[in-house]
Each structure stands twice: as C-alpha cells, then as structure tokens.
Amino acid sequence: MTTFQARTHTVTLTERLKDATNVALIAILLGIPMIGLHTVDAGGKLMVATRWPWLLAFVATMFFGRLALQFAIDQFKLKRLTRQRTRTLEVATPRPWLKWLGYGLLGFSLVLPIAFSDNRYVVDTATTVLIYVMLGWGLNVVVGLAGLLDLGYVAFYAVGAYSYALLSTQFGWNFWETLPVAGALAALFGILLGWPTLRLRGDYLAIVTLGFGEIIRVILINWTEFSGGPNGIGSIERPSFFGLPFKPDSDDGATFASFFGLEYASEHRVIFLYYLILVLALLTNLFIARLRKLPVGLAWEAVREDEVACKALGMNVTNVKLSAFAIGAMLGGFAGVFFAARQGFISPESFVFSESATILAIVVLGGMGSQFGVVIAASLLVILPELGRDFSEYRMLLFGAAMILIMVWKPGGLISRREPSKVLAGVEK
Amino acid sequence: MGQFIQQLINGLTLGSVYGLIALGYTMVYGIIGMINFAHGDIYMVAAIISVTVITLLAALGISAVPLALMVTLLVVMAFTAVYGWSVERVAYRPLRTAPRLAPLISAIGMSIFLQNMVQLTQGARVKPIADMMPGQFNLFTFDGFTVFLSYTQLMIIVVTVVLLAIFTYIITRTSFGRQQRACEQDQTMTALLGVNVDRTISLTFMLGAALAAIAGVMVTIYYGVVDFAIGFVAGLKAFTAAVLGGIGSLPGAVLGGLIIGMLESFWSAYYSPEYKDVAGFALLILVLMFRPSGLLGRPEVEKV
C-alpha cells in the first residue's frame, strides 16, 4: 500500500545520490547480460562478445536520469502539497472545453482531406486513425461501459473482414450489401463466444477471449480452402460511390470521374474511403450515445459498477453482458468490412494478438467509457509509430515504454471520467 | 503403443516446462490478483541469458555437465530475478491502487518493451547452442519402435516435481508463505500487522522470475534454439495452464501445464500439428464452463 507522506524536510543531496546509486546498481545488473554481453554468430558457432562502453553509457544515463526525474517529482509534489492546502477537494467539474474541442476536431476531420488533398499519406494515416477510433468505440462498449475484459476483440474484426472478402470474391456482393450481413455475423460470433463464457469472472473471461482470438487466427491460417491460408485473400472489390466505381475511364459504364466530369485521379478513392469511415465512425458514436440513454445502456453501466446489486434487483446479468458483447462485436465487424474494402487484400497477419492489445490500449489509455478519450488515444497510438518510422528500430521499444509511462502517469486514462450516465438526484458524488 | 508412450514422455516434458512458467503466473496472480502479462517475456529473457552463459562457460572451458548446469542455473536465476524485480517496480507498483485494467496495459507495454529490447541488444536471429546433455535411456522396444527418455527430458520432469514440492512447502509452511497469503487476502490489514507488503510482493515477483529462469534454461538445453519471440506463445500456454488448473493453486498450475503439454503432444501426433493451439484453448473453454474456477481452484465466494 502506498501511503502518502508529507515531506517534512527537504531531501538532502546525499539522499538523492544514494537513491540514484541504487538505480545505477540495478541498471548494472540489468545491463550486464543484455548490453554488456551478447552472443554473435561466428562461423556457425556462437561466441560471446562484450560491449562494456555501451553498458557504462547505459548505467550513466540511468544514474543521471534518476537524479533528474527524482528532482522533478519532488518539485511537483511540493507544489501540489502547497496547492492542496488552499484548495478544497475538487468535485468532478463538467468540462465544457472538451465539448468544444470535440466540435473542433470534428470540423478539422471534415476539412482534412480538402486541406491535404495533395498529400495522400496524411489522408491514409487519418483513415487508419479512424478505423482504430471505430474499433476503440466498439470495444469501449464491452470494456468501458459493461466492464468486461475482452482480449480477443480482433477476432470480430477478422470475422467482418473475411465476411466481406469472401462474399465479394465468391458471390460478387458489394460493400453495402455485405455491411449488415457481416455485422450480424460478427454479433453472432460474439453471442456464440459470450453465451458459455460470460458467467466467468473478469480475468477468466480475458483469457477465454484471448484464446478465442487465437483460435480464429489459427483457423484462418490453416483452413486454406476456406480462407486462402497464410496467403490471404486478394483483389477484393473496392467500394463504389453509389454504383460508380473509382476506375480509369473505360467503355463499360460510367465511372466516378466520368460521371462528374473530372479527370481520373487515384486520390478520389482515398478521399472517398476517408469520408466513408468518417461517416461510419460518426454513426457509431451517435449509436452508442443513444444506447447509453436507453435502459440497456444504463444496465451495462449498472452491471459494471455492481454486478451483485444488479442480480439482487432481478436483472438478467448474463443477457445484459451478452448484449454488450454482441453490439461490440458487431461494431468490430463493421470496421473489419471497411478494412477489407480499403486494403483490397487481407491475411491472418492483420489479426494478431498485438492488434487486440492495441485496441484495448486505445480504450484504456483514453479513459474507459470516454468516447473522446478513444479519439485522442487512437490518434496517439497510430501517429506515434508513424512519426517513429525514421528510427524504426526503436519504434516498438519506445511504443512499449510509452504505454507504461502513460499508464503510470494517468492510471485512469487520458480523459479519466468514469461517472455513470445517470445518478440519483441529490446524491453527493 | 510404442509411439503412444513416447508421446506421453514428450508431452510430460513439454507440460513440465509450461507448468514451471505457470507457477510464476499463479503465484503473482495469487498475491496481487492480476495477470502478469510480461511473465512470458521474463522467461524469454532468461532463455536468452542462458544462451550467453552457456556459451561463455564453454569458451572458458568448463565442460563438466553438472558444474556447468549448476552455474548456469544460478547465474540465470539471479539475473532474471533482477528483471522480475524491475518489472514489478516499474510497471506494477505505481499502479497498485489504480483501476484494474491499468496494470494490465502497462504489463502489455512491458511485454512489448522487453521483446524489442532483446531484439535490439541481442539480435533477431535464432540462437543455437550445442546439446549440453546428449544421451538417453532406451526404455524398451515395442514393434520395432524404441521408446526413449533423454537425460534432458528426465532432468526437466524431475526438476519440475522437486520445485513444485519446494514451493508448496514455502507457501504453506514458512513465514514468508504466510505473509504472502495474508497479502493475498487483505493488503491493508497485512500492512497494519507489520508485514512489509511491498517487499513481499517484490519477492514474489523475483521467485516467479526465478522459476521462469529455470524453465528458460531447461528449454534452451532441450530444444537447443532460442529467439526473442518465444515468450508470447509460451506465456499464453502457461497462462492457459494456470487458469485450467485453477489460478492461485500451485499443484493446479503444474497439473494444468501437464494436461496442456500432453494434449498438444498427442494432438500433433495423432491429429494435426496445425490445430494443437486450438485444442488447448477449446479444452480451457470447456473446463471453465463446467468448473469456473479451474480444476483445483477454490470456488470464489462473493462477498457483498
């Protein structure tokens, strides 16, 4: 248990140095087997090589880094201590700026492809962000609202993507025809998985969903006749603009460019896809916002807060959880359809556990239950690795470190507000 | 029949390794009630360190197997325990009072970090070592199929049984074990009774890491190849084993490990190697449906 102790004396330099020395000692122990020593391949046989200067640099960095960090933390605590004396406990204040920031972001996202119409990379990245926003909102229903830990969300994403890929390549279905079917299929999978397992306690549910995600992936890899195996499915039909395909002009039928009398450009499709996912994401947001006001949404939050009380009130807890699971799965399926339509090619490589982990990280980093937090976190988690492409070797290393740091810094998420949508009038929070 | 016994032996060996890793999961889960997602990567770190130590010992000319093995085990356990301690200190301790999902995310972050750290510092290529304990007992011949038990396999199984006994003793009989079980029930109350909760939790992580270290050394010797990515799958299997056996229960972890190991071994031999992972998870789902707290776990009492 961490107890907060008010510092009565200023920390002496000796104490600081001692603390940093301890850190440096640990760093030596951590560094010797990984940095100091390493094995290299010497003619088919391993040899041990040393890198002592690197180790020294690492230990020195840790020593001085700790000194600086500790100093910063002490200053921060001191400041907070003096502030707390003057200010009374802050009651969760409504944050109007958040709403305006939301509108601002919405406006920005509407004009983004116009502002960056000559920069395909930006629009592409923004589309990826929006896919993750949609996935994050879908998972948020399960994790944030209903409080169920799902580590295999990517399975539903895969169900959606493969539904579209198979239906379009085998039966010639188009994007809009597949969308509801794929969503229903994903929801069905959610119910099939949830029905036997939702009685389990939180952490068991986590491992079962994790296992389910792996099962789906293994089946996709190995059932070659069905899914194309590790080679995946290619040349999936791209979505069209109300029947007008994005193709260079040709004799058979009107294309988007010829219908509007435009010069054909491949950017048209990129921009169209961007607006498509934007609309899908906004609809998702609206859908969830409405659901939260309906009895089922309130029931999710009630079950999250106190399952036993809900049972005592005669609620069918399993059905409540199941509905959250199915709706979350359905939204994941929609996102999957869009993903397949956008890529034109899918393979099991896109549906590995790290995807589930990323989506879960988006929900938790954003602050569970917060729609806006998901947007911030999704942008962060997509753009950070993109920015890191220049030093790509360290990209994932820094990504992992950032995940730890953000959690330690803000354990409740970036926008941490987990208050129920409805509270009893007159109850002090 | 011969092949059946052989698969049984192979399955027991594989299951013992899973069991050893699962012990670490179950102990950490027992004390702080959360999944240590980085545990599989601690095991991977141990395997990588053991490659370095074994190569170093060979270069120094220490070739007596018992001596080399003891030195490797002790050195790897020591270094890995430091890693276990650091993981707890950095990714878990600051979040002990945080919402339940926060440490899970920092643990996933830690797992990503460790994997990429090892890839960067030790290289992405598979690391091979020479067989340290060649040789085997030929048990019997049946229909022209000779069933064997290699020295390494025997060692792995014996070590697992001995460690299970030692750790059961530690948890049920010693003062540290009592402190640990007290922390499991109520950390605040335990602290009020004069137990250093931080220290107990740290020590648990170090012990779990040491167990993962032993598993890492054993696997390195058994398979002879190691790379930076082995942690995820092994961790997943071991965690499945821990849940299957009933998380929090030490014999349950080893039992779960053995079941998963044997299932995989038989499934690969008689059905299809591709779907062995599916078999393990399907079994887990089935068991949890009928025994929600695992095979040997105590049913949880919900207090209001």
Side-chain angles (χ1 to χ4, degrees):
Chain A
M1 290 281 109
T2 42
T3 46
F4 184 72
Q5 279 179 323
R7 284 247 160 83
T8 45
H9 68 293
T10 44
V11 196
T12 59
L13 188 66
T14 342
E15 279 174 313
R16 285 241 174 80
L17 285 176
K18 220 166 139 187
D19 173 67
T21 312
N22 285 339
V23 171
L25 281 177
I26 295 289
I28 291 177
L29 287 178
L30 290 178
I32 286 176
M34 281 298 149
I35 299 173
L37 298 170
H38 67 138
T39 47
V40 285
D41 199 7
K45 213 168 154 276
L46 284 185
M47 296 290 284
V48 176
T50 58
R51 290 181 289 208
W52 301 123
W54 287 36
L55 179 64
L56 190 71
F58 170 67
V59 172
T61 315
M62 293 298 278
F63 180 81
F64 291 109
R66 175 68 182 186
L67 269 186
L69 181 76
Q70 204 56 47
F71 181 74
I73 290 177
D74 283 348
Q75 291 296 317
F76 180 73
K77 274 195 179 146
L78 215 65
K79 215 184 256 173
R80 199 165 60 177
L81 215 65
T82 47
R83 217 190 315 165
Q84 262 175 357
R85 280 200 207 102
T86 54
R87 217 165 28 168
T88 51
L89 191 68
E90 208 175 314
V91 182
T93 46
R95 283 177 276 192
W97 56 268
L98 209 64
K99 204 169 149 192
W100 288 110
L101 196 61
Y103 285 131
L105 262 182
L106 178 64
F108 174 71
S109 60
L110 282 174
V111 298
L112 179 127
I114 298 164
F116 293 96
S117 57
D118 53 343
N119 193 340
R120 193 179 159 160
Y121 174 71
V122 170
V123 182
D124 259 339
T125 309
T127 311
T128 310
V129 170
L130 282 172
I131 294 181
Y132 278 104
V133 167
M134 188 156 166
L135 285 169
W137 278 341
L139 185 61
N140 206 356
V141 171
V142 182
V143 179
L145 294 183
L148 304 165
L149 183 47
D150 186 348
L151 290 178
Y153 192 64
V154 78
F156 306 122
Y157 187 40
V159 167
Y162 271 87
S163 305
Y164 178 59
L166 288 171
L167 287 173
S168 81
T169 53
Q170 304 293 325
F171 303 104
W173 289 34
N174 70 27
F175 180 82
W176 297 106
E177 284 164 355
T178 320
L179 197 63
V181 176
L185 263 179
L188 183 72
F189 269 85
I191 291 171
L192 279 180
L193 171 68
W195 180 70
T197 55
L198 279 175
R199 294 179 304 132
L200 298 174
R201 242 163 10 100
D203 302 303
Y204 288 154
L205 184 67
I207 182 75
V208 169
T209 48
L210 178 58
F212 178 70
E214 284 295 299
I215 288 177
I216 294 274
R217 195 176 62 86
V218 170
I219 290 178
L220 287 178
I221 289 180
N222 290 308
W223 195 1
T224 319
E225 308 90 78
F226 173 73
S227 65
N231 298 329
I233 302 175
S235 53
I236 303 165
E237 196 202 311
R238 305 305 190 85
S240 56
F241 186 81
F242 299 103
L244 298 169
F246 293 90
K247 281 184 195 152
D249 286 326
S250 60
D251 299 330
D252 46 320
T255 63
F256 177 78
S258 70
F259 186 82
F260 288 99
L262 297 166
E263 188 90 10
Y264 168 75
S266 60
E267 278 83 30
H268 290 164
R269 182 166 65 210
V270 177
I271 292 173
F272 169 68
L273 284 172
Y274 172 83
Y275 278 117
L276 183 61
I277 185 69
L278 184 63
V279 168
L280 284 178
L282 289 177
L283 282 177
T284 305
N285 188 20
L286 204 66
F287 178 63
I288 295 173
R290 299 308 300 176
L291 275 181
R292 284 182 82 151
K293 295 201 169 74
L294 291 175
V296 64
L298 297 174
W300 291 338
E301 291 183 46
V303 167
R304 175 190 75 193
E305 295 301 326
D306 195 336
E307 193 174 327
V308 180
C310 290
K311 275 187 192 151
L313 288 172
M315 280 166 60
N316 187 338
V317 175
T318 309
N319 277 359
V320 171
K321 288 180 178 178
L322 211 53
S323 61
F325 224 65
I327 286 176
M330 182 186 75
L331 294 171
F334 288 156
V337 173
F338 178 80
F339 177 75
R342 178 209 181 195
Q343 301 294 96
F345 165 78
I346 51 168
S347 75
E349 280 289 291
S350 311
F351 307 103
V352 290
F353 170 69
S354 66
E355 282 295 301
S356 288
T358 310
I359 303 166
L360 184 67
I362 285 173
V363 173
V364 179
L365 286 180
M368 291 196 302
S370 162
Q371 299 288 87
F372 189 70
V374 166
V375 179
I376 302 285
S379 316
L380 211 64
L381 288 197
V382 174
I383 294 171
L384 269 187
E386 287 293 326
L387 288 180
R389 284 229 185 272
D390 294 337
F391 38 106
S392 56
E393 275 181 30
Y394 301 94
R395 193 160 70 100
M396 289 311 285
L397 187 77
L398 295 175
F399 181 72
M403 262 166 92
I404 304 172
L405 286 180
I406 295 180
M407 273 294 99
V408 170
W409 172 50
K410 275 193 171 297
L414 293 172
I415 310 279
S416 51
R417 202 157 55 141
R418 184 185 134 148
E419 55 198 35
S421 297
K422 262 208 165 90
V423 281
L424 202 58
V427 173
E428 285 281 327
K429 267 185 66 73
Chain B
M1 183 61 195
Q3 205 206 353
F4 180 83
I5 306 276
Q6 187 63 62
Q7 290 303 335
L8 189 73
I9 292 173
N10 294 350
L12 277 176
T13 315
L14 186 64
S16 299
V17 172
Y18 290 156
L20 280 180
I21 310 174
L23 280 176
Y25 271 112
T26 223
M27 282 195 347
V28 166
Y29 190 93
I31 195 165
I32 53 175
M34 54 156 287
I35 309 168
N36 179 5
F37 239 99
H39 191 64
D41 296 283
I42 293 282
Y43 152 80
M44 178 272 298
V45 164
I48 293 283
I49 298 178
S50 72
V51 169
T52 311
V53 175
I54 290 171
T55 319
L56 199 63
L57 287 179
L60 291 176
I62 299 173
S63 54
V65 171
L67 179 67
L69 190 67
M70 278 322 282
V71 173
T72 311
L73 273 177
L74 288 178
V75 172
V76 176
M77 278 166 75
F79 277 121
T80 314
V82 179
Y83 269 89
W85 183 88
S86 310
V87 165
E88 195 271 337
R89 184 67 190 81
V90 172
Y92 298 92
R93 192 180 294 181
L95 294 171
R96 209 168 288 158
T97 52
R100 213 172 48 86
L101 276 175
L104 188 79
I105 296 298
S106 72
I108 292 174
M110 186 49 97
S111 163
I112 296 174
F113 180 84
L114 284 176
Q115 254 188 52
N116 286 278
M117 186 270 293
V118 171
Q119 190 186 355
L120 273 173
T121 57
Q122 300 288 318
R125 289 170 68 179
V126 171
K127 293 184 178 298
I129 62 152
D131 195 349
M132 210 171 162
M133 299 196 341
Q136 60 191 45
F137 299 109
N138 287 328
L139 295 181
F140 57 87
T141 308
F142 194 93
D143 286 347
F145 189 96
T146 306
V147 174
F148 69 87
L149 172 69
S150 73
Y151 296 154
T152 316
Q153 285 180 322
L154 181 67
M155 175 184 72
I156 291 177
I157 296 171
V158 169
V159 163
T160 305
V161 172
V162 170
L163 282 174
L164 174 64
I166 293 176
F167 273 81
T168 310
Y169 176 79
I170 292 179
I171 301 292
T172 53
R173 295 274 188 279
T174 63
S175 155
F176 168 71
R178 274 190 295 278
Q179 292 179 5
Q180 207 189 23
R181 280 179 290 143
C183 289
E184 183 181 336
Q185 290 187 359
D186 191 333
Q187 290 184 5
T188 317
M189 191 61 212
T190 311
L192 287 174
L193 291 173
V195 174
N196 188 337
V197 175
D198 279 343
R199 221 198 63 188
T200 311
I201 293 179
S202 286
L203 211 55
T204 306
F205 267 83
M206 289 170 78
L207 285 177
L211 281 170
I214 296 171
V217 174
M218 298 287 151
V219 161
T220 310
I221 297 173
Y222 186 43
Y223 290 118
V225 286
V226 161
D227 67 35
F228 72 98
I230 60 169
F232 174 66
V233 173
L236 201 56
K237 297 276 174 58
F239 186 66
T240 309
V243 174
L244 186 66
I247 203 150
S249 149
L250 296 183
V254 174
L255 179 69
L258 290 179
I259 292 176
I260 298 272
M262 287 202 275
L263 182 74
E264 272 187 23
S265 170
F266 283 120
W267 198 279
S268 313
Y270 292 106
Y271 188 56
S272 77
E274 290 87 24
Y275 287 104
K276 65 178 178 38
D277 298 354
V278 172
F281 285 123
L283 179 73
L284 175 77
I285 294 177
L286 272 180
V287 168
L288 287 184
M289 272 168 69
F290 296 106
R291 281 193 65 90
S293 41
L295 291 173
L296 300 183
R298 275 164 295 153
E300 199 188 350
V301 184
E302 270 183 80
K303 280 178 259 178
V304 184

